[in-house]
């Protein structure tokens, strides 16, 4: 750790990992309710479990981004964070808000727009925390060295905070409500968060591969340009059937198809940098997570996104298990795995130890990634059958669901693997002190 | 390629292009806003009753089990066309009665069947909810869903 104030990232990462555990256990419980629907159905109905699952996801990803910013900005700007106190204050606000939200969900107090169910005071708390963060990090960057990485990171974080304003705008007209709702949801994950992702990935590549900064930064600008050029009008892929004009069918289909490009570019970027790089960084697990994140993001967002993004396809698949399949793999690859890559890279430095936990950590990568991939496949099969039976044949929803039991059992099984992977990851980060598998002797290359 | 595409050029293309797409997007959004209020949802008045119903819908977080116009959770049936499914699209009284009966019969308690919770909803709110669902159903959604199954 070069700068003392980087240490705040540690607290952010700890809270984020705690919420990650809650998120996946909530998901597992929701998956269980699909198999055994009477479970908790009066005490904690499915909708409450689902809110905890999705909200915990979003909050911990944001905490990870904030922590990543506090970690990498001092190194990039070559100075301490403007105010460590403010950084902790921000974290406290977010923790109180999160606990408050979960508590009020459990007693039945919540809003009713998907993902934005937080009570008003929590939403305001998030806004205040975001403002504190922006002030704190912007003053740090302005006073120090400016790089493309901090530039793009800050732009992403500023814009995503600005978009949060739309969380407060809830028109009485349902179609307007839906249209502006996507300003948060889509323009987060398919525009502004991509800037954050590119910046963090760029930072990791810089550290892990030792490739020249100039090369990395040029790539970054190209990646984020393709992200915004496609992602902004790509919002149209949600404006097909909610009361918006029909021209969105073409605008949305065409531009969202190009959304595959930035994800392909990020994957290529990661592999090319590793290929070019001469540095043999000891933290192999961080490298695995970085490559894994960009690859799974390409499949989850790029391939599974394209799968249902053309309006002729989406007419039939809209709002089926196909959507759930895509939502899981895209969030996992692009944002979960990327955050875990950053944790894997930074935690050993923050705890002032050599990367000592690589083997267990890498096992957790394969458990989680395998689990999520399997979950995606089962949900895709379930969604295909659902689309056919319900949307084409015209069978009633509940009758169709009765036919899908086997897939939901398999989804639950893959969820168990994901939860085990997540717990193993946290264990390997926090508990293990030295390498569990001794490295073999350095072999001479044969022949 | 590296000669033509310098870092500062790439940056400028990024800024310039992004501003361009934001402007186009905002213009289309404004147009869509008018289209929604004046055309696609204009078939039925947005009364206080409908607004009340929307608040009831939100307060109970129905969206985290059901989809509405295909958005939401996938645990329970689509409700954007439920009034059509019930044949109650043109009859507010019938819409209210069926909905009221349905809501009061929950949870079914049937072993192995997905459960919908019981909600405390007043008569006035229930009328609002029925009107809200009728209002959603009359929206021009470009012929989605493909059939009444939702
Ligand atoms: C990392 C980036 C992405 C994430 C995290 C993500 C996540 C999601 C989520 C959670 C939903 C469901 C929203 C809801 O509850 O209604 C969704 C819907 C959708 N996504 Fe993505 N997505 C990403 C990228 C993409 C890309 C690149 C495409 C297209 C190429 C795409 C196409 C779609 C479409 C068409 C829908 C609507 C599905 C429906 O009609 O039900 N997504 N996405
Ligand atoms: C133990 C593993 C997990 C299980 C069993 C699980 C299960 C579920 C279930 C049952 C739902 C509700 C789907 C519905 O409405 O019918 C859901 C929603 C969701 N989960 Fe998970 N989940 C798991 C892990 C994850 C992870 C790791 C992520 C993030 C990468 C995630 C992101 C989401 C999102 C974004 C939604 C909303 C999807 C949408 O609206 O399309 N889940 N999950
Ligand atoms: Fe989208």
């Amino acid at each position: 750790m070069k700068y003392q104030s980087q240490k705040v990232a540690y607290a952010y990462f700890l809270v984020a990992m705690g919420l990650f555990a809650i998120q996946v256990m909530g998901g597992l419980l929701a998956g269980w309710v699909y198999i055994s629907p009477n479970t908790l159905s009066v005490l904690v109905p499915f909708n409450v479990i689902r809110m905890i699952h999705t909200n915990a996801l979003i909050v911990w990803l944001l905490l990870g981004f904030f922590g990543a910013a506090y970690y990498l900005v001092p190194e990039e700007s070559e100075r301490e964070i403007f105010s460590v106190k403010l950084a902790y204050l921000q974290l406290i606000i977010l923790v109180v808000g999160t606990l408050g939200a979960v508590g009020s969900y459990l007693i039945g107090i919540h809003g009713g727009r998907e993902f934005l169910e937080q009570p008003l005071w929590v939403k305001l708390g998030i806004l205040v925390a975001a403002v504190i963060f922006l002030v704190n990090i912007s003053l740090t960057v302005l006073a120090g060295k400016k790089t493309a990485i901090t530039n793009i990171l800050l732009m992403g974080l500023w814009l995503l905070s600005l978009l949060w304003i739309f969380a407060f705008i809830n028109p009485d007209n349902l179609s307007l409500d839906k249209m502006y709702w996507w300003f948060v949801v889509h323009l987060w994950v398919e525009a502004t968060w991509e800037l954050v992702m590119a910046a963090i990935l760029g930072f990791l590549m810089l550290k892990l591969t030792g490739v020249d900064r100039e090369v990395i930064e040029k790539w970054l600008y190209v990646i984020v340009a393709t992200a915004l050029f496609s992602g902004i009008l790509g919002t149209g892929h949600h404006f097909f059937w909610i009361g918006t004009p029909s021209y969105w069918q073409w605008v949305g289909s065409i531009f969202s198809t190009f959304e595959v490009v930035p994800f392909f570019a990020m994957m290529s970027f990661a592999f090319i940098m590793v290929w070019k790089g001469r540095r043999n960084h000891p933290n192999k697990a961080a490298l695995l997570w970085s490559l894994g994140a960009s690859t799974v993001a390409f499949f989850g967002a790029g391939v599974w996104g394209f799968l249902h993004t053309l309006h002729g396809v989406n007419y039939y698949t809209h709002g089926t298990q196909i959507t759930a399949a895509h939502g899981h793999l895209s969030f996992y690859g692009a944002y979960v795995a990327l955050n875990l890559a950053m944790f894997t890279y930074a935690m050993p430095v923050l705890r002032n130890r050599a990367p000592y936990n690589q083997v267990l950590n890498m096992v957790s990568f394969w458990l989680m990634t395998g689990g999520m991939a399997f979950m995606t496949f089962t949900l895709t099969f379930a969604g295909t059958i659902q689309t056919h039976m319900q949307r084409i044949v015209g069978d009633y929803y509940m009758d169709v669901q009765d036919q899908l039991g086997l897939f939901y059992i398999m989804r639950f099984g893959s969820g168990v693997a994901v939860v085990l992977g997540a717990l193993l990851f946290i264990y390997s980060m926090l508990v293990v002190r030295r390498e569990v598998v001794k490295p073999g002797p350095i072999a001479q290359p044969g022949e | 390629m590296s000669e033509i595409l310098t870092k500062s050029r790439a940056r400028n293309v990024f800024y310039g292009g992004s501003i361009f797409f934001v402007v186009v997007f905002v213009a289309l959004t404004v147009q869509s806003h008018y289209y929604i209020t004046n055309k696609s949802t204009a078939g039925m008045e947005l009364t206080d009753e409908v607004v009340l119903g929307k608040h009831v819908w939100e307060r109970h977080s129905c969206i985290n089990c059901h989809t509405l116009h295909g958005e939401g959770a996938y645990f329970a049936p689509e409700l954007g066309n439920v009034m059509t499914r019930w044949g109650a699209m043109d009859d507010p009284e019938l819409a209210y009665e069926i909905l009221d009966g349905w809501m009061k019969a929950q949870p079914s308690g049937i072993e192995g069947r997905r459960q919908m919770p019981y909600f405390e909803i007043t008569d006035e709110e229930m009328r609002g909810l029925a009107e809200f669902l009728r209002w959603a159903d009359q929206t021009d959604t470009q012929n989605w869903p493909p059939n009444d199954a939702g």
Side-chain angles (χ1 to χ4, degrees), chain A residues 182 186 189-190 234-235 237-238 259:
Chain A
W182 284 112
H186 171 98
V189 297
E190 289 161 70
T235 317
H237 65 185
H238 305 294
E259 283 181 38

Side-chain angles (χ1 to χ4, degrees), chain A residues 180 217 243 247 315 390 397, chain B residues 7 31 33 40 68 74 143 150:
Chain A
Y180 292 114
E217 299 200 325
Y247 58 72
Y315 185 66
Q390 189 182 322
Y397 174 91
Chain B
K7 189 173 97 187
Q31 200 276 336
H33 187 117
S40 63
L68 185 61
Y74 321 109
N143 287 324

Side-chain angles (χ1 to χ4, degrees), chain A residues 30 33-34 36-38 41-42 45-48 50-51 54 108 110-115 117 148 151-152 155 170-183 187 195 213-214 217-218 221-222 224-225 228-230 232-233 235-236 238-249 251 255 314-316 318-321 323-324 386 390-399 401-402 408, chain B residues 1-3 5-8 10-37 39-42 46 50-51 54-55 57-65 67-78 85-86 102 107 109-119 132 135-136 139-150:
Chain A
V33 174
Y34 261 84
S36 175
N38 306 73
S41 62
V42 176
F46 180 85
N47 58 343
V48 174
R50 189 178 191 270
M51 283 189 276
T54 56
H110 41 65
R113 294 165 95 202
E114 196 191 359
F115 307 137
E117 300 91 350
N151 202 358
I152 292 170
M155 206 175 141
N170 181 10
D172 290 337
N173 182 310
L174 177 70
S175 292
L176 289 181
D177 163 0
K178 284 177 172 291
M179 186 171 79
Y180 292 114
W181 179 77
W182 284 112
F183 278 44
L187 289 177
L195 303 199
R213 179 183 284 277
E214 250 338 87
E217 299 200 325
K218 188 160 51 171
Y221 278 118
V222 174
V224 293
L228 292 196
F229 294 0
S230 62
I232 294 173
L233 288 178
T235 317
H238 305 294
F239 295 168
F240 296 158
W241 331 113
I242 60 169
T244 24
S246 59
Y247 58 72
W248 284 112
Q249 291 174 16
V251 177
F255 281 90
N314 191 264
Y315 185 66
Y316 296 101
H318 183 46
T320 61
Q321 296 296 332
T323 312
Q386 182 188 4
Q390 189 182 322
R391 296 287 161 72
I392 295 171
V393 177
D395 290 335
Y396 182 57
Y397 174 91
M398 291 299 279
D399 300 338
Q401 292 299 314
D402 285 342
Y408 295 135
Chain B
M1 134 124 177
S2 54
E3 303 286 294
L5 191 71
T6 60
K7 189 173 97 187
S8 69
R11 189 188 53 213
N12 294 341
V13 169
F14 167 56
Y15 287 144
S18 299
I19 291 171
F20 171 77
F21 283 108
V22 167
V23 170
V24 175
F25 182 67
V26 169
L28 292 180
T29 304
V30 172
Q31 200 276 336
S32 301
H33 187 117
Y34 282 101
Y35 177 88
I36 288 170
T37 48
K39 259 191 128 140
S40 63
T41 65
L46 187 60
V50 176
V51 175
K54 184 165 185 275
H55 292 154
W57 167 268
E58 287 169 2
R59 177 154 19 97
H60 297 295
S61 191
C62 313
I63 198 74
N64 272 295
C65 286
T67 47
L68 185 61
H69 296 338
E71 295 169 2
Y74 321 109
F75 185 71
E78 164 68 30
R85 214 157 42 231
W86 284 349
W102 171 263
I110 300 170
E111 196 54 41
R113 190 174 173 86
R114 293 186 196 166
Q115 296 297 302
M116 173 161 152
Y118 176 79
F119 299 107
F132 169 67
W135 190 91
T139 303
D140 175 3
T141 52
Q142 310 289 335
N143 287 324
W144 194 91
N147 56 50
D148 288 353

